[in-house]
Amino acid sequence: MNITLRVWRQKSRDDEGRMVTYQVEDVSPDMSFLEMLDVLNEKLTLDGHEPVAFDHDCREGICGACGVVINGVAHGPETTTTCQLHMRSFKDGDVIDVEPWRAKAFPVIKDLVVDRGAFDRIIQAGGYISAPTGTAPDAHAMPVPKADADRAFDAATCIGCGACVAACPNASGMLFTAAKVTHLGMLPQGQPERAARVVKMVNQHDEEDFGGCTNIGECAAVCPKGIPLDTISQLNRDLLGSLASGNPK
Amino acid sequence: MALKAAMAVTGAILVLFLIAHMYGNLMIFGGPQTFDTYSAHLRELGEPMLPYEGFLWIMRVVLLASVLVHAYAAVTLWMRARRARPAGQRYHTKKSVQRSYASYTMRWGGVVVVLFVIYHILHLTTNDIAPGGASASPYERVVNGFQIWWVVLSYVIALAAVGFHLRHGIWSAVATLGGNRAGRQRSLNIIATGLSLVVTIGFLIPPFAVLLGLVK
Amino acid sequence: MTELYIEGAPIKDEKAPEGPIEQRWDKRRFSAKLVNPANRRKLSVIIVGTGLAGASAAATLGEAGYQVTSFCYQDSPRRAHSIAAQGGINAAKNYRNDGDSIYRLFYDTVKGGDFRSRESNVYRLAQVSVEIIDQCVAQGVPFAREYGGLLDNRSFGGVQVSRTFYARGQTGQQLLIGAYQALERQIAAGTVRMHTRHEMLELIVVDGRARGVIVRDMVSGEIETHFADAVVLASGGYGNVFFLSTNAMGCNVTATWRAHRKGALFANPCYTQIHPTCIPVSGDYQSKLTLMSESLRNDGRIWVPKEAGDDRDPRQIPEEERDYYLERIYPSFGNLVPRDIASRAAKNVCDEGRGVGPGGLGVYLDFADAIKRMGLPAVEAKYGNLFDMYQRITGENPYEVPMRIYPAVHYTMGGLWVDYDLQSTIPGLFVTGEANFSDHGANRLGASALMQGLADGYFVLPNTINDYLASGPFESLDENTPEAKEAADAVRARIDKLLSVNGNRTVDSFHKELGHIMWDYCGMERSEEGLRKAIERIRELRDEFWQNVKVTGTNEELNQALEKAGRVADFFELAELMCIDALHRRESCGGHFRAESQTEDGEALRHDDEFAYVAAWEFTGTGEQPVLHKENLEYEYVEMKQRSYK
């Protein structure tokens, strides 16, 4: 099939950027979306143009590196990562708009590549359990009810891709933050730091210039790992409890 | 950080007020006597512990404070959202996947509601705007106003805005206060829709009753 | 063959303690010099890579108080390719009371490695495995649990005990996130300085010691020089030399290859693990292969049509015209034969023209019988997520049409040679995880890669590197140090060269062609003739690359074509060494199958008398004969046996 792409091209952080139209011919429906971009890039290179820069690595939907907004939807029409989206989700002759994640907290580095360092800094603020190597008791010293372990796992499947931010009308990073708060907060090992953790992480989230959550739910709807929206409510419960019990803002 | 909680709590106060207000409005079906007595009673509530209109003023102050806090929080969050995706970093094509119309109209809808409240107070409380004729009787003010089709229409539009605002607002307040749990999201949304429908329809019954001549 | 390499002096691991095997790790920890906590903050360590082995080491050394500088090429340390490991992590906890022990894990690993690994190292790995699980649980890794709240285990990779801990099909992700969080905690504490989107392009060796690295900031293009008292490479494996593999697109050999060029020996490069159950290639645009859990072979039946060229819909092919070849050839193990046997059998039937799907490179993995026997809901419950993944990638419904599978390169057992302390032949250069060669011998058991990465990073390296650092801090250096300047200049010159060729072929087209050569001649089955042909073609292709590659853009920007070009250039050199190693090892063992060395039944045939050694190669120049140093392997505890799966 033949596809018309309108791709965001931006040379560097400070460049203004614009949508540029390309034709991609002989696209196989079995290609992944990124393989279709590979084909475009091969052609651009041979024609002496610069290929389109985009982040990607594992190409099996787990590393969280890839992610572009396709026709206005983060990761495109299927609820999965961009690398797991295949061209059979499109039709011959389609016009496809491809844009980077857009948020102040995720500045564009080049073309479709953005800087998601803000997510790492949110984790630095408290998204961990302090357990220096060698200090651990036996793994069976503390049983964890299966329901809690499962809920922690569901939240822990977050791949940090940033689609939640890209999709949110407020550009909020609350689903990402909440997933980590819930993962660690559901486990007995995470209890000692639970109250302080949520406050520190939400503070960092706000400092990074993410917007606030207004419970619209676009984040959970595009999340490739299906992190549910009630994770944010869990964060809110922890946050209010923590503030009420006198943890500093 | 506490902004959203403040928004949820003040929103909840306003919702409770609306429900009480709507209940009071329905007294219009008891006739002029009942309605005007109810209105007067509001002013005498709490006497002699409180002075005349004492309760009413406490309520007005609480409501006004709630509105101000609610609006302040809303504007702050609105500005933050704008900063979070500033001009020059907006999408060329953006589609929503599941968001409700109600969530889409929260902000401008909120502005419409504020303007309506001012209009409504000038109309039925202070009676400075008095289409159909002013009166000392609250009952007559209602009847005089709502006999005119465009007054009813203006209330329909405003209450639709209120309804949408409540639809997302109730759900959002519960979620912000930590009340959304696994498996509960659907029922919370149904409750929010139901409650906003009840409030909207409840408020619209008296104007239509007047317009259709059921209440004279 | 001697025209291809030179045999040099044998090499020995000087650090491994003698004595009873269960006491050796204790002995080494006791004999290793310690560093006073107050002195640690004066000592610096560079760590390249943030996968399990790198992130865990950076976090642990940071906690100990060393000044750590960490680099990764990804935009966040959380994205290193350890994240993609599915199955699980082994540990000799014996929580099942099923007869497991440290000794049994040790024994299984030595045997699984086809007697080409060191007993001391493997025993230590089994000892440390127990502590890894404790550590990870304390960090909040959400392993699967039973209703009683205790950890669940499963049996994995054909072993008879249940010692594999897992987190659904995402064990690697959960373990890496645990290590990543520990790392981020140290970054916040200021003990680790993290540089993301930085790629190591050269090692700095001063006075015979590894003292720093040259890295390229992949956003600005700046060539930076970083010094430290020791350098740790945790940069993963080199499976991407095959272009198509289950590795991430960015996985590369550059860090270890640059160190090899500076004098670190490269051990056993030909040992490649090929995983039998991957989703086959669908077209020449294919960029990567996706693994599906081996557990599918528990209930699925593997077959191809009896007739070559039979392209009927598989559901129309009657039972008597199907060849369930694994069940036919290996009646006792059937579809559950080890990875390498299953892989090679698939290749053989495809070579006979009986392969299915695009290009005839695939075999059927059929669940029709399983669905009949267990019922659809049971199959769905057990394999639903794998079936969904298959359907998403291929667009076919595996509940109705048999799946197609084909082997793919998955893991490389070879890597930089290290001693018991994980130190390479360059003093001060340590190598951990898949980047070293140490623990898996010629073949890695399932669920052992995660174990080794974390063992190295959390427990082994932090207890051995101190022995080296105790003699530091070393002389302070700056960018004008001749060795550093020379290294930086070499990096710049190479980049300039890549950008200036301006030929007619893209980097990917070279990489794909190299991958084809390697897959055809240095893949599942290797022969003298094929390997010689491969070496010749690799050399030709390498020459063409340097004359005809096209890399657009400049160095001073994010330039993904330039990044790839540098990596592919190193893959060319590695590929040649892999072929030479494969050629010199005229036996079949583990992940290395020589057509000339098989039993009458077509099984791998080792030659322990000649080849029970580690082949450690010394670099002498591009296209020059490398020097082979042999490290003899002695087995005091496990008796060497030929395996049989008939």
Side-chain angles (χ1 to χ4, degrees):
Chain A
M1 50 198 213
N2 296 327
I3 298 286
T4 303
L5 284 180
R6 292 193 302 210
V7 184
W8 182 258
R9 301 302 307 261
Q10 180 174 340
K11 225 172 150 28
S12 64
R13 217 176 261 256
D14 309 318
D15 182 32
E16 240 179 36
R18 68 218 64 84
M19 300 295 276
V20 179
T21 305
Y22 300 104
Q23 304 295 330
V24 190
E25 280 148 23
D26 293 329
V27 173
S28 153
D30 287 329
M31 279 180 187
S32 72
F33 195 84
L34 297 184
E35 284 166 348
M36 184 271 296
L37 289 180
D38 289 342
V39 170
L40 169 68
N41 278 344
E42 288 287 287
K43 183 171 157 252
L44 287 175
T45 306
L46 290 176
D47 293 348
H49 301 296
E50 269 210 55
V52 179
F54 59 94
D55 260 331
H56 64 106
D57 205 21
C58 76
R59 295 206 179 186
E60 49 185 287
I62 194 74
C63 76
C66 68
V68 290
V69 172
I70 300 164
N71 281 339
V73 179
H75 289 309
E78 314 280 340
T79 315
T80 182
T81 54
T82 304
C83 64
Q84 295 293 289
L85 173 68
H86 287 73
M87 294 311 290
R88 64 182 81 92
S89 299
F90 300 91
K91 296 189 308 289
D92 185 36
D94 272 0
V95 179
I96 305 173
D97 283 357
V98 188
E99 297 181 68
W101 291 166
R102 293 193 189 276
K104 191 170 181 216
F106 289 169
V108 172
I109 294 173
K110 184 176 183 179
D111 298 341
L112 305 171
V113 177
V114 301
D115 179 354
R116 284 170 290 200
F119 272 5
D120 288 334
R121 291 187 291 275
I122 292 176
I123 298 297
Q124 279 162 31
Y128 49 74
I129 290 171
S130 298
T133 305
T135 59
D138 185 87
H140 269 178
M142 213 187 274
V144 183
K146 186 166 165 53
D148 290 350
D150 286 348
R151 181 146 165 80
F153 186 91
D154 287 340
T157 55
C158 170
I159 55 174
C161 65
C164 45
V165 176
C168 177
N170 303 321
S172 173
M174 209 43 90
L175 191 65
F176 168 82
T177 311
K180 191 47 62 192
V181 165
T182 304
H183 160 208
L184 300 177
M186 281 291 119
L187 297 169
Q189 290 83 359
Q191 297 312 309
E193 292 162 295
R194 182 172 179 179
R197 175 185 306 121
V198 63
V199 176
K200 289 195 279 187
M201 288 180 74
V202 171
N203 269 334
Q204 187 65 36
H205 167 276
D206 292 356
E207 268 175 43
E208 295 288 349
D209 278 333
F210 290 105
C213 169
T214 55
N215 306 299
I216 293 168
E218 290 290 283
C219 51
V222 299
C223 175
K225 295 294 145 184
I227 310 258
L229 192 56
D230 63 76
T231 319
I232 295 181
S233 226
Q234 174 71 51
L235 174 141
N236 287 329
R237 270 205 296 287
D238 281 18
L239 182 63
L240 293 176
S242 177
L243 293 176
S245 64
N247 263 290
K249 279 214 283 188
Chain B
M1 194 184 303
L3 275 180
K4 282 183 287 183
M7 188 125 176
V9 171
T10 53
I13 293 172
L14 294 169
V15 171
L16 291 177
F17 163 73
L18 281 183
I19 292 169
H21 185 353
M22 177 198 80
Y23 173 73
N25 286 4
L26 293 175
M27 300 225 179
I28 199 127
F29 291 102
Q33 188 79 42
T34 316
F35 195 72
D36 288 352
T37 313
Y38 156 72
S39 171
H41 182 71
L42 279 181
R43 283 155 181 79
E44 292 155 10
L45 199 71
E47 278 186 54
M49 290 273 286
L50 296 169
Y52 180 71
E53 289 199 344
F55 172 78
L56 199 63
W57 276 107
I58 290 173
M59 201 158 81
R60 282 172 176 164
V61 169
V62 169
L63 288 176
L64 186 67
S66 296
V67 168
L68 289 177
V69 170
H70 197 76
Y72 170 77
V75 170
T76 312
L77 287 168
W78 192 349
M79 289 305 124
R80 245 187 76 186
R82 285 177 61 88
R83 259 206 322 278
R85 188 169 289 132
Q89 249 185 300
R90 306 255 157 85
Y91 290 106
H92 284 246
T93 312
K94 183 74 171 74
K95 272 191 221 128
S96 56
V97 181
Q98 54 82 53
R99 80 180 291 187
S100 60
Y101 182 72
S103 78
Y104 193 71
T105 56
M106 269 327 253
R107 283 163 186 156
W108 286 109
V111 173
V112 170
V113 172
V114 168
L115 293 175
F116 163 69
V117 168
I118 295 168
Y119 160 70
H120 173 60
I121 290 171
L122 290 174
H123 176 204
L124 290 175
T125 309
T126 65
N127 215 211
D128 289 318
I129 300 174
S135 166
S137 156
Y139 183 86
E140 280 180 17
R141 288 182 205 164
V142 171
V143 173
N144 292 350
F146 291 132
Q147 279 172 345
I148 303 165
W149 67 268
W150 59 263
V151 176
V152 175
L153 181 66
S154 67
Y155 273 71
V156 169
I157 292 168
L159 281 164
V162 170
F164 279 120
H165 201 78
L166 289 187
R167 161 68 191 84
H168 186 73
I170 292 170
W171 141 254
S172 184
V174 174
T176 298
L177 294 175
N180 179 25
R181 285 161 202 261
R184 213 194 257 180
Q185 193 165 318
R186 212 178 116 80
S187 29
L188 277 179
N189 273 299
I190 292 172
I191 291 169
T193 310
L195 206 56
S196 38
L197 275 176
V198 166
V199 170
T200 312
I201 294 169
F203 272 117
L204 282 174
I205 289 171
F208 275 98
V210 172
L211 186 68
L212 299 175
L214 301 174
V215 170
K216 289 176 193 166
Chain C
M1 199 184 327
T2 42
E3 83 280 5
L4 286 171
Y5 69 93
I6 300 165
E7 188 162 342
I11 184 173
K12 191 171 182 302
D13 175 6
E14 306 285 351
K15 301 279 177 44
E18 308 270 309
I21 198 161
E22 62 277 3
Q23 289 171 19
R24 289 180 192 168
W25 180 224
D26 271 353
K27 274 191 178 172
R28 180 59 193 141
R29 278 189 291 185
F30 183 71
S31 66
K33 282 175 261 170
L34 298 179
V35 179
N36 171 335
N39 287 340
R40 290 181 198 159
R41 77 181 87 91
K42 297 177 203 149
L43 292 160
S44 53
V45 180
I46 282 172
I47 300 180
V48 180
T50 60
L52 288 180
S56 58
T60 305
L61 294 177
E63 286 159 4
Y66 297 104
Q67 284 180 47
V68 179
T69 308
S70 177
F71 299 93
C72 68
Y73 73 76
Q74 297 89 347
D75 72 322
S76 163
R78 68 178 295 149
R79 306 201 200 285
H81 198 55
S82 304
I83 204 157
Q86 297 172 2
I89 176 166
N90 288 329
K93 279 282 195 186
N94 193 27
Y95 279 160
R96 286 311 171 97
N97 197 26
D98 56 1
D100 197 13
S101 62
I102 288 170
Y103 197 89
R104 188 178 294 281
L105 176 55
F106 153 72
Y107 177 88
D108 288 349
T109 307
V110 169
K111 184 167 165 246
D114 223 358
F115 304 96
R116 292 294 175 264
S117 51
R118 293 181 188 144
E119 283 189 332
S120 299
N121 281 55
V122 175
Y123 196 88
R124 174 178 67 187
L125 178 66
Q127 282 175 307
V128 164
S129 71
V130 176
E131 295 170 69
I132 295 172
I133 301 303
D134 300 342
Q135 178 60 29
C136 294
V137 167
Q139 287 172 342
V141 170
F143 284 120
R145 286 181 186 266
E146 297 173 324
Y147 284 97
L150 299 177
L151 294 164
D152 194 14
N153 293 115
R154 60 185 175 197
S155 121
F156 200 81
V159 293
Q160 289 159 306
V161 292
S162 290
R163 64 160 76 103
T164 304
F165 295 78
Y166 65 101
R168 291 188 204 157
Q170 288 132 276
T171 317
Q173 180 198 24
Q174 294 310 319
L175 294 174
L176 183 64
I177 296 295
Y180 156 76
Q181 287 169 190
L183 171 63
E184 292 293 334
R185 176 169 165 262
Q186 290 310 304
I187 295 170
T191 59
V192 179
R193 275 188 312 167
M194 183 73 226
H195 298 269
T196 60
R197 293 195 197 271
H198 277 68
E199 183 167 33
M200 170 182 158
L201 295 178
E202 199 52 273
L203 180 74
I204 301 171
V205 181
V206 181
D207 295 336
R209 293 178 192 276
R211 290 300 313 276
V213 292
I214 306 289
V215 295
R216 178 172 177 270
D217 177 334
M218 292 155 73
V219 175
S220 69
E222 195 182 335
I223 306 300
E224 303 171 0
T225 307
H226 294 263
F227 297 106
D229 294 303
V231 176
V232 179
L233 300 184
S235 50
Y238 48 85
N240 263 354
V241 68
F242 291 87
F243 185 71
L244 286 180
S245 77
T246 64
N247 282 5
M249 302 302 286
C251 291
N252 66 83
V253 76
T254 292
T256 44
W257 192 256
R258 293 283 124 192
H260 173 58
R261 291 178 59 110
K262 285 274 163 107
L265 301 189
F266 206 114
N268 300 334
C270 78
Y271 292 159
T272 313
Q273 185 168 80
I274 294 181
H275 198 288
T277 51
C278 296
I279 299 175
V281 174
S282 67
D284 56 10
Y285 49 80
Q286 186 109 10
S287 59
K288 102 142 238 156
L289 296 171
T290 304
L291 182 103
M292 288 192 299
S293 169
E294 229 170 344
S295 64
L296 288 168
R297 289 200 280 144
N298 288 333
D299 291 299
R301 295 180 72 195
I302 295 173
W303 63 275
V304 288
K306 281 189 175 158
E307 285 298 315
D310 185 344
D311 56 1
R312 280 177 290 176
D313 179 317
R315 288 166 294 184
Q316 309 299 328
I317 300 179
E319 201 62 25
E320 61 275 11
E321 291 176 41
R322 299 176 176 191
D323 178 14
Y324 293 91
Y325 59 90
L326 287 177
E327 296 169 23
R328 174 173 57 81
I329 308 171
Y330 307 99
S332 57
F333 275 75
N335 294 298
L336 289 173
V337 291
R339 288 178 178 180
D340 56 327
I341 292 180
S343 296
R344 217 164 43 243
K347 176 184 159 41
N348 290 341
V349 294
C350 292
D351 287 350
E352 292 163 16
R354 298 194 286 148
V356 298
L361 292 175
V363 298
Y364 290 122
L365 175 61
D366 199 336
F367 274 78
D369 285 351
I371 291 172
K372 232 178 276 166
R373 174 166 49 88
M374 303 160 63
L376 188 68
V379 171
E380 214 176 330
K382 206 164 168 189
Y383 301 110
N385 56 341
L386 293 167
F387 280 29
D388 291 348
M389 178 174 85
Y390 181 84
Q391 183 159 16
R392 197 163 52 235
I393 292 173
T394 62
E396 292 173 2
N397 180 355
Y399 293 102
E400 286 164 11
V401 190
M403 284 192 250
R404 288 173 294 110
I405 55 167
Y406 200 63
V409 173
H410 179 52
Y411 188 90
T412 49
M413 278 72 69
L416 291 183
W417 186 91
V418 289
D419 61 18
Y420 192 72
D421 282 0
L422 303 181
Q423 186 166 220
S424 72
T425 46
I426 300 176
L429 179 70
F430 293 79
V431 192
T432 59
E434 192 179 346
N436 73 27
F437 88 106
S438 67
D439 298 349
H440 304 298
N443 182 39
R444 178 180 63 75
L445 286 183
S448 282
L450 302 182
M451 172 172 69
Q452 186 226 338
L454 289 180
D456 286 0
Y458 280 134
F459 297 105
V460 179
L461 182 79
N463 283 297
T464 57
I465 197 171
N466 39 288
D467 186 63
Y468 177 77
L469 288 172
S471 44
F474 304 105
E475 172 197 7
S476 81
L477 305 171
D478 65 31
E479 287 178 18
N480 296 320
T481 308
E483 291 87 345
K485 202 166 167 315
E486 192 187 319
D489 288 345
V491 165
R492 287 197 191 92
R494 199 165 119 101
I495 289 172
D496 289 346
K497 171 77 177 146
L498 288 168
L499 287 168
S500 65
V501 175
N502 197 22
N504 299 317
R505 282 184 71 177
T506 62
V507 177
D508 273 359
S509 81
F510 281 106
H511 195 177
K512 280 182 190 179
E513 190 175 339
L514 174 66
H516 278 301
I517 297 172
M518 292 302 284
W519 181 248
D520 289 345
Y521 301 113
C522 197
M524 278 181 278
E525 185 174 309
R526 294 130 182 213
S527 69
E528 166 117 19
E529 191 195 347
L531 288 164
R532 284 186 182 281
K533 195 184 293 179
I535 291 168
E536 206 174 299
R537 287 189 51 194
I538 291 165
R539 288 177 175 172
E540 285 165 15
L541 193 63
R542 185 181 64 219
D543 289 345
E544 193 196 338
F545 175 84
W546 285 105
Q547 280 156 28
N548 199 21
V549 71
K550 188 177 186 77
V551 182
T552 55
T554 64
N555 174 54
E556 286 71 33
E557 61 180 330
L558 180 75
N559 189 337
Q560 293 173 325
L562 177 63
E563 294 160 16
K564 276 194 278 194
R567 295 167 190 166
V568 171
D570 288 333
F571 277 137
F572 277 118
E573 297 183 6
L574 166 78
E576 188 177 324
L577 185 66
M578 285 174 76
C579 292
I580 293 173
D581 187 41
L583 192 58
H584 110 281
R585 191 170 283 277
R586 306 164 89 134
E587 65 160 351
S588 299
C589 61
H592 169 63
F593 186 85
R594 278 290 296 264
E596 299 90 341
S597 181
Q598 46 185 313
T599 63
E600 280 174 19
D601 307 324
E603 296 299 333
L605 184 63
R606 286 199 324 266
H607 297 296
D608 294 333
D609 46 339
E610 273 183 274
F611 290 103
Y613 62 80
V614 174
W617 298 92
E618 180 186 343
F619 184 81
T620 53
T622 308
E624 301 291 320
Q625 296 158 296
V627 179
L628 170 65
H629 300 274
K630 293 178 182 173
E631 178 198 338
N632 265 328
L633 292 168
E634 276 154 33
Y635 291 87
E636 294 173 57
Y637 291 85
V638 185
E639 189 199 344
M640 294 170 108
K641 279 187 201 149
Q642 290 285 352
R643 53 182 200 169
S644 167
Y645 291 92
K646 284 269 168 173

